[in-house]
Amino acid sequence: MKKVEAIIKPFKLEDVREALSAEGITGLTVTEVKGFGRQKGHTELYRGAEYVVDFLPKVKIEVVVAEAAVQSCIEAITNAARTGKIGDGKIFVSPVEKVIRIRTGEQDEAAI
């Protein structure tokens, strides 16, 4: 099993959710986060004063999938989240040792 984490632009969340659902991936966790990479921050004007916004709003999606579904998950996220502009985000894949569904006690792939 693998955990796929994606940091994307907030307005792309619904597109990514639909793309994952089309691949049969229904369970996911979404967190509002802030950060920056190469995109860095930007300046904004507020009440006539210019100020720097260092951290940009992003959305972090976390999905745990079976090993066989990792590539299709990555492709679904990439295709749905891509705008072609800087700041589209990143995807991280890490191993997951154990999953347990609390309600039933199911474990590993049966619990996904």
Side-chain angles (χ1 to χ4, degrees):
M1 295 171 298
K2 300 283 186 181
K3 180 178 183 181
V4 179
E5 295 177 80
I7 311 292
I8 63 169
K9 292 181 175 183
F11 69 90
K12 285 298 202 171
L13 176 59
E14 191 58 29
D15 293 342
V16 170
R17 189 195 62 76
E18 288 174 5
L20 289 172
S21 184
E23 291 294 324
I25 300 167
T26 53
L28 59 97
T29 301
V30 177
T31 311
E32 291 180 9
V33 296
K34 293 183 179 190
F36 69 91
R38 290 186 182 150
Q39 188 178 12
K40 307 265 192 274
H42 63 279
T43 58
E44 286 188 4
L45 199 58
Y46 179 70
R47 293 188 177 181
E50 195 173 278
Y51 66 100
V52 176
V53 177
D54 291 327
F55 295 100
L56 302 169
K58 300 286 182 179
V59 172
K60 178 172 150 181
I61 299 169
E62 298 173 86
V63 183
V64 176
V65 296
E67 195 97 28
V70 172
Q71 195 56 40
S72 64
C73 178
I74 291 170
E75 289 170 9
I77 294 169
T78 303
N79 293 335
R82 180 181 290 130
T83 66
K85 297 187 173 124
I86 193 165
D88 274 351
K90 293 229 174 24
I91 298 174
F92 306 94
V93 179
S94 353
V96 172
E97 291 183 28
K98 191 133 199 87
V99 176
I100 301 163
R101 185 185 312 267
I102 295 171
R103 179 178 54 88
T104 62
E106 293 170 294
Q107 295 190 19
D108 302 327
E109 288 189 21
I112 300 176

